[in-house]
């Protein structure tokens, strides 16, 4: 901005000077936002405020309307949550106006000390703004350092005003060119260093959150496996287990485990045993019991003849204890794959994503299964102990305590790509520039899961005490050079 031009324009049509002040203020505001510490709201260099003070110094009250208009326009492109700091710029301008309208003020060289007083007042208010919020993710020392850097950038305004005054022969004071270049270089290097440190620190935090969330996810899945062992122990401890005994036992398992939607025992029934098994179940108090499957439209139908069936014999579901009884687990490919894996490996396993027969909600669940064998010789398969787990509640427990700016999603890497997504942000969501992500691959119950955390740009908080000192002392040196240059200019009579 050429203040000499603004001063000359003030003698002519007022709209020229006003337009120059407005455009220069908006440019300074945009540059201040560009040099701000990423996502923290802290601006070590308040170039727009420096422009405002220069305009008030040269134009007096005539410079106030375009500055207030510029403050309003500058805040419009910002998100709603970031408009308040921009509106506070207008309050700073009003504070400067309070100094400007004191008796004896005139927009000429005699107002240098009042311009300095206005600068100091703006710096104090800026420090108050910076230290007033606790949601910036930075320490009080960091905010104080940035407030001092703001004061440094504003203290250079009087020297810049003198530098931009008309010169004899139209020459500029070369002693101030180098300090101004250094000021810009310092601002840009500070921005780059702070941005890099901020992103590295944020990514480390996010990676640690992913690690901790993975630990919680493994802990909960281990608790499900322990519950399966308990079901196995229940049947091993008694030659006969009634439906009432099973319901009471299953209810005690569901209370402490997050997301445990159902506990079931699925019998292994060959085709030759089918009629006898159905008759036994009907005699136990289920007169309409049958072995059934569900078609692609979700309609129930009697299971056709197969070499074997794995119907749900006992089940404790939330609110609907009987609807799944008789459902053939081997009739659906994902469930059958998990049954076969549990049979061949002999350990508890998790299934791919499924939709439960009794669950009306449109979300996915997983099953955790293990084989149960009889005590007779030779050892024979008698059925499977099974748990149905809501992935949504499992993820909610794993992500507990994370900031609001962090979301997660879970993928089953052991499943086909089309059915790998389990829960969270959509599978086709791709983080844009400024977003961060961290993932952790887990081996859980015979499957490989990937837990991915994705952080919004607001998560990238700055921690920059050391670099803040660099910014502070570098700015002090440059301000001193500017003052020395002005002193030399005054001594030479320019």
């Amino acid at each position: 901005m050429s203040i000499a031009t603004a001063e000359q324009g003030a003698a002519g049509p007022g709209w020229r000077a006003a337009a120059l002040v407005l455009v220069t203020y908006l440019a300074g505001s945009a540059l201040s936002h560009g040099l701000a510490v990423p996502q923290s709201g802290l601006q070590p260099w308040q170039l727009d405020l420096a422009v405002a003070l220069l305009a008030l110094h040269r134009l007096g009250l005539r410079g106030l309307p375009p500055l207030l208009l510029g403050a309003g326009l500058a805040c419009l492109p910002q998100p709603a949550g970031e408009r308040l700091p921009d509106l506070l710029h207008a309050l700073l301008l009003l504070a400067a106006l309070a100094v400007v309208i004191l008796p004896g003020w005139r927009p000429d060289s005699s107002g240098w000390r009042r311009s300095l007083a206005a600068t100091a007042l703006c710096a104090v208010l800026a420090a108050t703004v910076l230290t007033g919020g606790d949601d910036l993710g930075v320490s009080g020392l960091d905010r104080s350092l940035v407030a001092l850097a703001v004061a440094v950038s504003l203290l250079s305004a009087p020297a810049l005003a003198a530098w931009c005054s008309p010169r004899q022969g139209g020459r500029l004071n070369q002693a101030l060119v180098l300090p101004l270049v250094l000021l810009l270089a310092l601002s840009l290097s500070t921005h780059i260093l702070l941005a890099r440190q901020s992103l590295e620190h944020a990514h480390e935090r996010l990676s640690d959150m992913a690690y901790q969330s993975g630990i919680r996810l493994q802990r909960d899945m281990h608790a499900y496996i322990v519950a399966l062992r308990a079901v196995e122990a229940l049947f091993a401890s008694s030659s006969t287990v009634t439906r009432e005994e099973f319901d009471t036992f299953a209810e005690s398992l569901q209370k402490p485990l997050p997301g445990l939607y159902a506990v079931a025992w699925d019998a292994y029934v060959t085709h030759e045993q089918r009629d006898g098994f159905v008759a036994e179940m009907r005699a136990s108090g289920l007169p309409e019991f049958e072995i059934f499957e569900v078609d692609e439209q979700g309609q129930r139908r009697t299971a056709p003849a197969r070499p074997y069936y794995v119907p749900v014999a006992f089940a404790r579901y939330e609110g609907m204890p009987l609807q799944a009884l008789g459902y053939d687990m081997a009739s659906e490919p994902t469930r059958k794959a998990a049954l076969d894996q549990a049979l061949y490996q002999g350990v508890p396993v998790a299934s791919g994503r499924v939709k439960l027969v009794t669950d009306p909600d449109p979300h996915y669940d997983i099953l955790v299964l293990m084989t149960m064998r009889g005590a007779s010789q030779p050892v024979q398969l008698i059925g499977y102990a099974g748990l149905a787990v809501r992935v949504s509640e499992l993820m909610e427990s794993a992500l507990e305590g994370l900031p609001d700016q962090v979301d997660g999603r879970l993928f089953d890497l052991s499943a086909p790509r089309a059915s790998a997504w389990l829960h969270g942000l959509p599978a086709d969501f791709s983080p844009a520039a400024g977003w961060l992500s961290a993932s952790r691959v887990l081996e859980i119950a015979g499957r490989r899961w990937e837990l991915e955390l994705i952080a919004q740009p607001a998560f990238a908080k700055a921690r920059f005490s050391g670099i803040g000192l660099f910014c502070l002392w570098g700015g002090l040196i440059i301000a001193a050079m500017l003052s020395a240059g002005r002193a030399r200019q005054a001594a030479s009579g320019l």
Side-chain angles (χ1 to χ4, degrees), residues 163-243:
W163 174 62
C164 295
S165 298
R167 307 293 192 273
Q168 291 180 357
R171 294 182 295 109
L172 296 178
N173 191 337
Q174 300 298 321
L176 293 180
V177 174
L178 180 60
L180 285 176
V181 172
L182 291 178
L183 176 62
L184 292 177
L186 176 63
S187 299
L188 292 174
S189 60
T190 300
H191 166 66
I192 294 173
L193 291 174
L194 291 178
R196 182 177 301 175
Q197 185 188 47
S198 174
L199 291 176
E200 289 177 355
H201 177 73
H203 192 268
E204 290 176 0
R205 288 183 58 208
L206 191 64
S207 298
D208 182 67
M209 291 178 182
Y211 175 79
Q212 297 297 332
S213 297
I215 293 296
R216 289 191 290 269
L217 191 59
Q218 289 179 313
R219 175 203 64 195
D220 292 340
M221 288 299 296
H222 179 72
Y224 296 138
I225 294 175
V226 172
L228 280 180
R229 299 291 187 188
V231 175
E232 179 186 36
L234 172 67
F235 281 85
S237 64
S238 176
S239 57
T240 59
V241 177
T242 66
R243 183 168 292 104

Side-chain angles (χ1 to χ4, degrees), residues 118-139:
T119 300
L121 181 57
C122 286
V124 171
L125 291 179
T128 304
V129 172
L130 290 174
T131 57
D134 297 328
D135 58 342
L136 297 179
V138 293
S139 67

Side-chain angles (χ1 to χ4, degrees), residues 26-114:
L26 290 176
S29 177
L31 190 55
S32 295
H33 281 290
L35 297 177
V37 179
Q39 316 306 333
S40 70
L42 302 183
Q43 297 178 350
W45 306 106
Q46 297 283 350
L47 302 179
D48 46 351
L49 295 183
V51 170
L53 287 171
L54 288 171
L56 290 172
H57 183 82
R58 287 300 169 191
L59 301 178
L61 297 180
R62 291 171 294 178
L64 184 62
L67 291 175
L68 292 178
L69 178 60
L73 294 177
C75 77
L76 290 180
Q78 303 301 321
E82 299 180 7
R83 290 178 182 173
L84 181 59
D86 290 330
L87 292 177
L88 289 176
H89 290 181
L91 297 180
L92 295 177
L93 292 173
L94 292 176
L97 176 62
V99 177
V100 169
I101 63 178
L102 287 176
W105 171 266
R106 294 293 183 273
D108 53 25
S109 58
S110 64
W112 185 87
R113 288 183 177 83
R114 295 194 182 279

